[in-house]
Amino acid sequence: MGAYDAFKQQVVDTAQRLVAGGYLKGTGGNVSLRVAGHDAFAITPSNYDYTRMVPEDVCVLDWQLHVIEGARKPSIESALHAVVYQARADVNAVLHTHQVYASALALINAPIPALFDEQVRYLGRAVEIIAYAPSGTGLLKNNVRSRVRNGHNAYILKNHGALVLGHDAERAERNVELLEKCALAYLLALCTGRHIDRIPLAVREIAFAQLRKDEKRYQ
Ligand SMILES: [Zn+2]
């Protein structure tokens, strides 16, 4: 068994569960995991059906995006994943989805304020919008690098989709689900045209402090 096999298997399993949950569709989005103990990460290949994917299809790259293992072309968003791992020592899983409700907020440029305790506890003080840049460009990479340092675990990519982080694959998956629940509730609330209440500021800060404590533990 190769040094990366377990990580590659987990990338496939995570991607396929996200497809089953409706968070990834067709070949859109991408999934990566940090390879513990190596300056490397395992990432889904470019433009390849998740339902057919097997561990041999997963690419292992170093931070400069050189291919260490894998015959397929890596995701065009590989640079975006690499900058997150370099900027955030606590993050071991990066999920980029085109999930529908968060994507709807990406179109109306609506960050999600602190609406629920659980949201802040796991995703951060707010789900912010990362400025638009075309997929696979250095500009998008730079926009992501400058934002993820705030310690949040979910971001909306303007006119594109979502970027969700976690200290492991399972937490990142839960964060994708939580983001979608918050995005849908917020969209429905916006549709009423009525005032939208946020959680009290003191509660927000307590919940965010718990998230920051976790992040220190996983560094
Ligand atoms: Zn995308």
Side-chain angles (χ1 to χ4, degrees):
M1 204 167 135
Y4 307 114
D5 289 1
F7 296 96
K8 295 201 282 192
Q9 181 71 57
Q10 209 183 3
V11 165
V12 172
D13 293 345
T14 303
Q16 291 180 342
R17 277 197 300 272
L18 290 171
V19 170
Y23 302 104
L24 291 180
K25 294 200 196 301
T27 62
N30 28 73
V31 169
S32 78
L33 288 179
R34 186 195 294 271
V35 177
H38 296 75
D39 286 334
F41 63 107
I43 187 163
T44 46
S46 177
N47 199 26
Y48 192 73
D49 190 337
Y50 294 111
T51 58
R52 292 169 51 203
M53 201 172 285
V54 293
E56 292 68 40
D57 296 318
V58 174
C59 309
V60 178
L61 309 180
D62 68 16
W63 302 141
Q64 285 71 46
L65 310 184
H66 299 129
V67 177
I68 299 172
E69 203 170 273
R72 295 195 180 276
K73 185 172 171 281
S75 163
I76 60 157
E77 302 290 12
S78 296
L80 188 151
H81 292 248
V83 292
V84 174
Y85 292 121
Q86 289 175 287
R88 291 277 301 273
D90 62 295
V91 170
N92 294 305
V94 176
L95 308 179
H96 163 50
T97 70
H98 296 168
Q99 56 194 89
V100 176
Y101 297 120
S103 298
L105 293 174
L107 303 181
I108 58 172
N109 202 19
I112 309 175
L115 303 177
F116 305 101
D117 301 4
E118 192 191 21
Q119 173 202 344
V120 177
R121 170 70 181 84
Y122 293 107
L123 305 184
R125 280 192 180 111
V127 182
E128 298 175 344
I129 309 272
I130 293 180
Y132 179 79
S135 293
T137 61
L139 193 57
L140 182 59
K141 185 179 82 172
N142 292 341
N143 291 349
V144 166
R145 183 194 284 124
S146 64
R147 298 307 282 273
V148 297
R149 294 208 173 101
N150 64 4
H152 293 182
N153 279 340
Y155 303 85
I156 291 169
L157 301 172
K158 186 137 194 299
N159 289 74
H160 186 165
L163 180 67
V164 179
L165 321 177
H167 62 78
D168 63 17
E170 195 186 331
R171 186 63 250 170
E173 256 185 88
R174 297 289 86 77
N175 288 347
V176 164
E177 295 164 355
L178 180 57
L179 169 63
E180 198 67 340
K181 174 232 158 183
C182 295
L184 174 56
Y186 189 43
L187 274 167
L188 291 172
L190 285 169
C191 288
T192 67
R194 296 179 57 172
H195 173 75
I196 297 172
D197 276 333
R198 301 176 183 192
I199 56 172
L201 213 59
V203 173
R204 185 192 79 174
E205 289 311 299
I206 290 166
F208 188 57
Q210 287 174 317
L211 176 61
R212 295 297 265 173
K213 209 168 140 190
D214 276 356
E215 290 173 359
K216 284 207 177 70
R217 187 148 45 102
Y218 292 112
Q219 273 176 19

